[in-house]
Amino acid sequence: LSGIKTCRVHAENGQAVSVTVDMGDAILTPGEIPVALPGERVVGQNVEGAGGIYEITCVSMGNPHCVVFVDEPDTLELPLLGPLLEHEAVFPNRTNVEFAKVVRRDHIRMRVWERGAGETLACGTGACATLVAAVLTGRADRKATLELTGGRLEVEWSPEDNHVYQTGPAAFVFDGVWPD
């Protein structure tokens, strides 16, 4: 639903070692994310819900994301907070939720709650949305390493074309035979 993605394979000795994906533009207009909050963008906006007040930044990378910057994502009760924020009334289609800590301007640690799935080890669109949110709130540079539970991604929000580019490792996972 988010369109065709252009990929660039990086190879060494004839083997793919990483892939860069052009994830397209970050969508920041509330009605297009969608998020039912006022303003031209939802950046660092306080919302009450999920048993507290959360400063959220909302971004769509073809699917909705709510990014919350926290002191320590690893100690959060994600199974409790994730679904509460996912189902907040301001998100008419529910939302993915990223809890992130900016370690340095070029390094962000995060955990992901994917709508309808629960906590996941990684989320490419979530990593892209998190970098965009960190830039919009003045926390990070336009290029950073995003550290997720399942590994690291290099993400860049290009000022030239406004696209978000994500680079991650390419690794052989398995092979098999499909029955005739």
Side-chain angles (χ1 to χ4, degrees):
L1 295 175
S2 64
I4 296 171
K5 302 297 179 209
T6 301
C7 301
R8 187 173 66 243
V9 176
H10 309 280
E12 291 177 8
N13 301 320
Q15 295 291 317
V17 293
S18 65
V19 177
T20 299
V21 182
D22 179 348
M23 300 295 286
D25 288 321
I27 299 164
L28 303 173
T29 306
E32 295 177 35
I33 293 173
V35 55
L37 289 170
E40 292 181 25
R41 294 180 173 178
V42 177
V43 176
Q45 189 166 335
N46 286 335
V47 295
E48 188 172 349
I53 297 174
Y54 297 88
E55 181 185 302
I56 66 169
T57 298
C58 296
V59 178
S60 174
M61 294 301 307
N63 56 349
H65 293 272
C66 169
V67 181
V68 181
F69 292 99
V70 296
D71 291 332
E72 191 48 65
D74 294 324
T75 58
L76 283 176
E77 292 185 50
L78 198 59
L80 173 67
L81 291 175
L84 291 174
L85 284 169
E86 171 190 355
H87 292 277
E88 273 301 318
V90 297
F91 301 111
N93 296 339
R94 301 191 340 254
T95 191
N96 299 293
V97 185
E98 285 75 34
F99 294 94
K101 174 184 180 177
V102 177
V103 178
R104 293 186 313 270
R105 292 191 64 81
D106 66 347
H107 184 169
I108 301 169
R109 170 76 181 118
M110 61 182 284
R111 287 174 69 194
V112 179
W113 181 268
E114 288 208 47
R115 65 180 175 165
E119 184 172 9
T120 57
L121 297 177
C123 176
T125 58
C128 292
T130 299
L131 177 68
V132 169
V135 171
L136 290 173
T137 58
R139 290 177 165 91
D141 297 330
R142 284 183 167 260
K143 185 174 184 178
T145 299
L146 281 285
E147 181 184 348
L148 297 95
T149 305
R152 293 174 180 238
L153 293 169
E154 302 300 320
V155 181
E156 180 177 6
W157 185 18
S158 171
E160 285 83 34
D161 62 7
N162 204 43
H163 285 206
V164 182
Y165 295 90
Q166 167 184 269
T167 302
F172 179 81
V173 178
F174 67 90
D175 64 8
V177 177
W178 187 260
D180 292 328

